[in-house]
């Protein structure tokens, strides 16, 4: 399997996890505590900046302080973790399980948990270093109150209090339906702009001619699941090296089975097992679709929110209207930003391009099945279609919107 594809997929999974940032902060807390304790043991060092007038804490007081900090922070962290799970369960149940990834990627929650766990570990390491001496002659057992480390523990305790206050405000914000739809809409617009910017100009390709006739071989990857990403650079390198033409049949977000052909290959000679295995290894398959290289997945999330909002059990047309507004913004971007989607040049490796019509059919087209029975959202959709027709400039895109508007009448 392609190392670049694996690393990229691992990065995306790490980005959408609750363990990575807290783990890093806990490790940093361990290192910081050891450095701080080392400075406390060498008070003649220039790094020891704790004022002598503040060195009034006795051994018992230092132990009690570090113990209280560790116990209280860990207790609050446990409550915060429980609240996080409840918020994720609430959001997935009300807005759809596809949106869980949006909450898992939330940096505010990850950093909040990490700061509290890091404070707990720092205070615990400081508590371990405090000892009263017990009258032993060995200098290693002399009484030690690490004033600098204890002061840093109290400072981290203050940071933890601010973090809890922030977290109490942050959690309701994350499950606010307007913020959820706005987050999806902004990421959809950004993904469309990125896709348009990265699509090369028509005249930039070499003199490549698309092959005619049946492919030499159709390749399967012998795994079931959703294609989460693929290494297009390596596919292009292999195509240039072995004089291949590769048509990717199922791009990112497509579901494949063990017998599903993922790509068609045209070659002047039979492909070796090594080349075939390398080609198939460029694809990463997982159990869930992802947003990376797959802006249509964001469209599907907005459609799912619209469908749930208009379900008989919820009946919330204003949430549906909010989702339609962001779909409208995405369609406007797809047509107007930097000339809109344009035809890609002919290259040795190609797949089906995302188009304005595709975004429109999977957005407004699929939403209409749910909103056609609701007069309020249907009227708002008609207004948005009129605005699109007035704003966009491409005749083909205007025809797509007008055809859909006629079907609504």
């Amino acid at each position: 399997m392609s190392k670049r594809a694996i690393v990229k997929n691992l990065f995306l999974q790490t980005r959408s996890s609750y363990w990575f940032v807290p783990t890093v902060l806990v490790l940093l807390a361990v290192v910081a505590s050891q450095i701080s304790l080392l400075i406390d043991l060498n008070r003649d060092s220039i790094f020891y900046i704790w004022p002598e007038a503040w060195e009034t804490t006795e051994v018992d007081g230092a132990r009690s302080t570090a113990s209280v900090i560790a116990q209280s922070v860990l207790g609050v962290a446990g409550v915060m973790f429980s609240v996080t799970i409840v918020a994720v369960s609430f959001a997935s149940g009300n807005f759809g399980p596809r949106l869980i990834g949006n909450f898992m990627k939330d940096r505010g929650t990850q950093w909040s948990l990490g700061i509290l766990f890091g404070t707990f570990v720092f205070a615990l390491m400081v508590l371990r270093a405090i000892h009263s001496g017990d009258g032993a002659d060995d200098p290693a057992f002399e009484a030690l109150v690490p004033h600098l480390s204890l002061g840093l523990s109290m400072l981290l305790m203050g940071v933890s209090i601010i973090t809890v206050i922030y977290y109490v405000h942050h959690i309701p914000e994350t499950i606010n339906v307007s913020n959820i739809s706005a987050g999806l809409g902004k990421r959809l617009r950004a993904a469309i702009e990125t896709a348009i910017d990265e699509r090369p100009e028509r005249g930039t390709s070499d003199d490549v001619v698309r092959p005619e006739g049946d492919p030499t071989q159709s390749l399967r990857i012998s795994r079931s699941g959703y294609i989460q990403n693929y290494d297009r650079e390596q596919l292009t390198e292999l195509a240039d090296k072995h004089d291949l033409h590769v048509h990717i049949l199922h791009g990112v977000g497509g579901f494949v089975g063990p017998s599903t052909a993922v790509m068609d290959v045209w070659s002047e000679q039979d492909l070796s097992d090594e080349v075939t295995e390398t080609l198939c290894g460029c694809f990463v398959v997982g159990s869930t679709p992802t947003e990376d290289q797959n802006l249509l997945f964001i469209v599907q999330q907005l459609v799912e929110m619209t469908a749930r909002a208009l379900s008989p059990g919820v009946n919330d047309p204003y949430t549906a209207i909010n989702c339609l507004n962001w779909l409208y913004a995405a369609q406007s971007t797809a047509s107007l930003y930097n000339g809109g989607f344009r035809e890609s040049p002919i290259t040795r490796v190609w797949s089906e391009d995302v188009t304005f019509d595709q975004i429109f059919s999977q957005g407004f087209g699929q939403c209409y099945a749910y909103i056609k029975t609701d007069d309020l959202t249907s009227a708002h959709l008609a207004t948005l279609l009129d605005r699109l027709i007035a704003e966009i400039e491409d005749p083909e895109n205007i025809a797509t919107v007008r055809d859909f508007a006629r079907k609504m009448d």
Side-chain angles (χ1 to χ4, degrees), residues 225-355:
Y226 292 93
I227 297 177
Q228 294 182 332
N229 66 72
Y230 63 88
D231 191 344
R232 192 180 187 94
E233 293 182 7
Q234 186 171 12
L235 285 173
T236 303
E237 292 172 1
L238 291 169
D240 292 337
K241 180 178 180 180
H242 301 283
D243 193 20
L244 308 177
H245 293 270
V246 181
H247 180 202
I248 300 173
L249 303 175
H250 299 279
V252 177
F255 186 86
V256 296
S259 59
T260 304
V262 176
M263 53 186 148
D264 288 336
V265 180
W266 285 263
S267 174
E268 296 295 333
Q269 55 188 0
D270 294 336
L271 298 177
S272 65
D273 293 339
E274 181 181 358
V275 174
T276 300
E277 184 178 352
T278 306
L279 286 170
C280 294
C282 292
F283 291 79
V284 176
V285 176
S287 57
T288 58
T290 62
E291 294 180 11
D292 182 56
Q293 301 178 339
N294 183 18
L295 61 88
L296 294 178
F297 181 62
I298 309 177
V299 176
Q300 294 168 8
Q301 293 179 75
L302 285 169
V303 172
E304 183 175 5
M305 285 189 65
T306 303
R308 285 177 175 267
L310 294 176
S311 63
V314 178
N315 193 22
D316 181 10
Y318 290 101
T319 294
I321 287 174
N322 202 15
C323 294
L324 292 176
N325 288 337
W326 286 107
L327 286 173
Y328 151 77
Q331 292 293 166
S332 179
T333 302
S335 181
L336 297 176
Y337 176 77
N338 199 17
F341 285 108
R342 53 189 176 272
E343 187 179 2
S344 296
I346 299 174
T347 57
R348 289 183 175 274
V349 179
W350 75 96
S351 60
E352 300 301 325
D353 292 331
V354 176
T355 63

Side-chain angles (χ1 to χ4, degrees), residues 53 68 73 91 115 156 166 168 185 211 236 290 293 302:
V68 168
V73 168
I115 289 173
L156 287 175
Y166 159 78
V168 170
T236 303
T290 62
Q293 301 178 339
L302 285 169

Side-chain angles (χ1 to χ4, degrees), residues 117-182:
F117 286 126
T119 301
F120 163 74
V121 171
F122 190 95
L124 197 64
M125 299 299 291
V126 173
L127 178 62
R128 175 180 174 273
I130 300 172
H131 51 80
S132 58
D134 298 327
D137 294 332
D138 191 340
F141 290 94
E142 293 180 358
L144 172 64
V145 177
H147 294 284
L148 176 61
S149 300
L150 191 62
L152 291 176
S153 298
M154 297 180 68
L155 177 63
L156 287 175
M157 183 65 181
V159 173
S160 298
I161 292 174
I162 296 174
T163 300
V164 172
I165 296 173
Y166 159 78
Y167 184 79
V168 170
H169 167 78
H170 180 69
I171 281 296
E173 289 289 314
T174 59
I175 61 176
N176 184 301
V177 65
S178 297
N179 291 335
I180 294 174
S181 58

Side-chain angles (χ1 to χ4, degrees), residues 14-29 104-118:
T14 302
R15 173 71 175 80
S16 302
S17 67
Y18 278 152
W19 62 265
F20 180 72
V21 172
T23 300
V24 171
L25 292 182
V26 165
L27 294 176
L28 288 176
M104 298 291 289
K105 289 185 291 188
D106 181 63
R107 286 297 193 196
T109 300
Q110 295 175 7
W111 277 91
S112 297
L113 293 173
I115 289 173
L116 265 69
F117 286 126

Side-chain angles (χ1 to χ4, degrees), residues 35-36 38-40 42-50 148:
I35 295 175
S36 177
L38 183 61
I39 295 174
D40 273 310
N42 297 273
R43 300 190 179 188
D44 296 332
S45 170
I46 61 173
F47 298 105
Y48 188 79
I49 59 175
W50 193 258
L148 176 61

